[in-house]
Coordinates of all heavy atoms in Angstrom, one line a residue:
I148 N -8.4 23.9 -8.9 CA -7.1 23.6 -8.3 C -7.4 23.8 -6.8 O -7.8 24.9 -6.4 CB -6.1 24.6 -8.8 CG1 -5.9 24.4 -10.3 CG2 -4.8 24.4 -8.0 CD1 -5.4 25.6 -11.1
T149 N -7.2 22.8 -5.9 CA -7.7 22.9 -4.6 C -6.6 22.7 -3.5 O -5.5 22.2 -3.8 CB -8.8 21.8 -4.4 OG1 -8.3 20.6 -4.7 CG2 -10.0 22.2 -5.2
P150 N -6.8 23.2 -2.3 CA -5.8 23.2 -1.3 C -5.8 21.9 -0.4 O -6.7 21.1 -0.6 CB -6.2 24.4 -0.4 CG -7.7 24.4 -0.5 CD -8.1 23.8 -1.8
F151 N -4.9 21.9 0.6 CA -4.8 20.6 1.4 C -5.9 20.5 2.5 O -6.1 19.5 3.0 CB -3.4 20.5 2.0 CG -3.2 21.3 3.2 CD1 -3.7 20.9 4.5 CD2 -2.6 22.6 3.2 CE1 -3.5 21.7 5.6 CE2 -2.4 23.4 4.3 CZ -2.9 22.9 5.5
N152 N -6.4 21.7 2.9 CA -7.1 21.7 4.2 C -8.5 21.1 4.2 O -9.0 20.8 5.3 CB -7.0 23.0 4.9 CG -7.7 24.1 4.2 OD1 -7.9 24.1 2.9 ND2 -8.2 25.1 4.9
I157 N -13.7 20.9 -0.6 CA -13.4 22.0 -1.6 C -13.5 21.4 -3.0 O -14.1 22.1 -3.8 CB -12.1 22.7 -1.2 CG1 -12.4 23.5 0.1 CG2 -11.7 23.7 -2.4 CD1 -11.3 24.4 0.6
K175 N -7.5 19.3 -10.1 CA -6.1 19.1 -9.7 C -6.1 19.3 -8.2 O -6.0 20.4 -7.7 CB -5.2 20.1 -10.4 CG -3.8 19.8 -10.6 CD -3.0 19.5 -9.3 CE -2.7 20.8 -8.5 NZ -2.2 20.5 -7.1
E178 N -1.4 18.2 -3.9 CA -0.5 17.0 -3.9 C -0.3 16.4 -2.5 O 0.2 15.3 -2.4 CB 0.8 17.4 -4.6 CG 1.6 18.4 -3.8 CD 1.2 19.8 -4.1 OE1 0.1 20.1 -4.5 OE2 2.1 20.7 -3.9
R179 N -0.7 17.2 -1.5 CA -0.5 16.7 -0.1 C -1.7 15.8 0.3 O -1.6 15.0 1.3 CB -0.3 17.8 0.9 CG 1.1 18.4 0.7 CD 1.3 19.6 1.5 NE 0.9 20.8 0.9 CZ 0.9 22.0 1.5 NH1 1.3 22.1 2.7 NH2 0.5 23.1 0.8
K208 N 2.9 22.6 -8.8 CA 3.0 23.9 -9.5 C 3.1 23.7 -11.1 O 2.4 24.4 -11.8 CB 4.2 24.6 -9.0 CG 4.5 25.9 -9.7 CD 5.8 26.6 -9.1 CE 6.0 27.8 -10.0 NZ 7.1 28.6 -9.5
V211 N -0.2 22.9 -12.5 CA -1.1 24.1 -12.5 C -0.8 25.0 -13.6 O -1.7 25.5 -14.3 CB -1.0 24.8 -11.1 CG1 -1.7 26.1 -11.1 CG2 -1.4 23.9 -10.0
F225 N -9.9 28.3 -8.2 CA -8.7 28.1 -7.3 C -9.1 28.4 -5.9 O -9.7 29.4 -5.6 CB -7.6 29.0 -7.8 CG -6.4 28.9 -6.9 CD1 -5.4 27.9 -7.1 CD2 -6.3 29.7 -5.8 CE1 -4.3 27.8 -6.2 CE2 -5.2 29.6 -4.9 CZ -4.2 28.6 -5.1
V226 N -8.5 27.5 -5.0 CA -8.6 27.8 -3.5 C -7.2 27.5 -3.0 O -6.7 26.4 -3.2 CB -9.6 27.0 -2.8 CG1 -9.7 27.4 -1.3 CG2 -11.0 27.2 -3.4
G227 N -6.6 28.5 -2.3 CA -5.3 28.2 -1.7 C -4.8 29.5 -1.0 O -5.6 30.4 -0.6
S228 N -3.5 29.6 -0.9 CA -2.9 30.8 -0.2 C -2.9 32.0 -1.1 O -3.0 31.9 -2.4 CB -1.4 30.5 0.1 OG -0.7 30.1 -1.1
V231 N -0.4 32.5 -4.2 CA -0.7 31.6 -5.3 C -2.0 32.0 -6.0 O -2.1 32.0 -7.2 CB -0.6 30.1 -4.8 CG1 -0.9 29.2 -6.0 CG2 0.7 29.7 -4.2
Q249 N -9.8 32.0 -4.6 CA -10.0 32.3 -3.1 C -8.6 32.1 -2.5 O -7.9 31.1 -2.7 CB -11.0 31.3 -2.6 CG -12.3 31.5 -3.2 CD -13.4 30.6 -2.7 OE1 -14.2 30.1 -3.5 NE2 -13.5 30.4 -1.4
G250 N -8.2 33.1 -1.7 CA -6.9 33.1 -1.1 C -6.9 32.9 0.4 O -7.9 32.4 1.0
G251 N -5.9 33.4 1.1 CA -5.7 33.2 2.5 C -6.6 34.1 3.4 O -7.4 34.8 2.8
C283 N -9.7 28.3 6.6 CA -9.6 29.6 6.1 C -10.6 30.5 6.8 O -10.6 31.7 6.7 CB -9.9 29.7 4.6 SG -11.5 29.2 4.2
E384 N -0.9 35.6 7.9 CA -1.7 34.4 8.1 C -0.8 33.3 8.7 O 0.2 32.9 8.1 CB -2.3 33.9 6.8 CG -3.1 32.6 7.0 CD -3.7 32.0 5.7 OE1 -3.1 32.1 4.7 OE2 -4.9 31.6 5.8
F386 N -2.0 30.2 10.0 CA -2.6 28.9 9.5 C -2.1 27.7 10.4 O -1.6 26.7 10.0 CB -2.2 28.6 8.1 CG -3.4 28.0 7.3 CD1 -4.6 28.6 7.3 CD2 -3.3 26.7 6.7 CE1 -5.7 28.0 6.6 CE2 -4.4 26.2 6.0 CZ -5.6 26.8 6.0
N412 N -11.7 37.6 4.5 CA -12.5 36.4 4.4 C -13.7 36.3 5.3 O -14.8 36.0 4.9 CB -11.6 35.1 4.6 CG -11.9 34.0 3.6 OD1 -12.3 34.3 2.5 ND2 -11.6 32.8 4.0
F451 N -19.7 31.8 -1.2 CA -18.6 31.9 -0.2 C -17.9 33.2 -0.5 O -17.0 33.3 -1.3 CB -17.7 30.7 -0.4 CG -16.8 30.6 0.8 CD1 -17.0 29.6 1.8 CD2 -15.7 31.4 0.9 CE1 -16.2 29.5 2.9 CE2 -14.8 31.3 2.0 CZ -15.1 30.3 3.0
Ligands
NAD501 P1 -1.3 26.5 -1.6 O1 -1.5 27.9 -2.2 O2 0.1 26.1 -1.2 O3 -1.8 25.4 -2.6 C1 -3.1 25.4 -3.2 C2 -3.0 24.7 -4.6 O4 -2.1 25.5 -5.4 C3 -2.5 23.3 -4.5 O5 -3.3 22.5 -5.4 C4 -1.0 23.4 -5.0 O6 -0.6 22.3 -5.7 C5 -1.1 24.6 -5.9 N1 0.2 25.4 -5.9 C6 1.0 25.6 -4.8 N2 2.0 26.4 -5.1 C7 1.8 26.8 -6.4 C8 2.5 27.7 -7.2 N3 3.6 28.4 -6.8 N4 2.0 27.9 -8.5 C9 0.9 27.2 -8.9 N5 0.2 26.4 -8.1 C10 0.6 26.2 -6.9 O7 -2.3 26.4 -0.4 P2 -2.5 25.2 0.7 O8 -1.3 25.3 1.7 O9 -2.8 23.9 0.1 O10 -3.8 25.7 1.5 C11 -3.8 26.6 2.6 C12 -4.2 27.9 2.1 O11 -5.4 27.9 1.5 C13 -4.3 28.9 3.3 O12 -3.8 30.1 2.9 C14 -5.8 29.1 3.4 O13 -6.3 30.3 4.0 C15 -6.3 29.0 2.0 N6 -7.7 28.6 1.9 C16 -8.6 29.5 1.5 C17 -9.9 29.2 1.5 C18 -10.9 30.2 1.1 O14 -12.1 29.9 0.8 N7 -10.6 31.5 0.9 C19 -10.3 27.9 1.8 C20 -9.4 27.0 2.1 C21 -8.1 27.3 2.2

Side-chain angles (χ1 to χ4, degrees):
I148 298 151
T149 55
F151 80 81
N152 64 330
I157 293 185
K175 204 300 284 171
E178 63 277 23
R179 285 176 273 176
K208 178 180 174 175
V211 171
F225 173 89
V226 183
S228 57
V231 182
Q249 298 180 219
C283 67
E384 180 179 41
F386 218 58
N412 221 28
F451 191 104

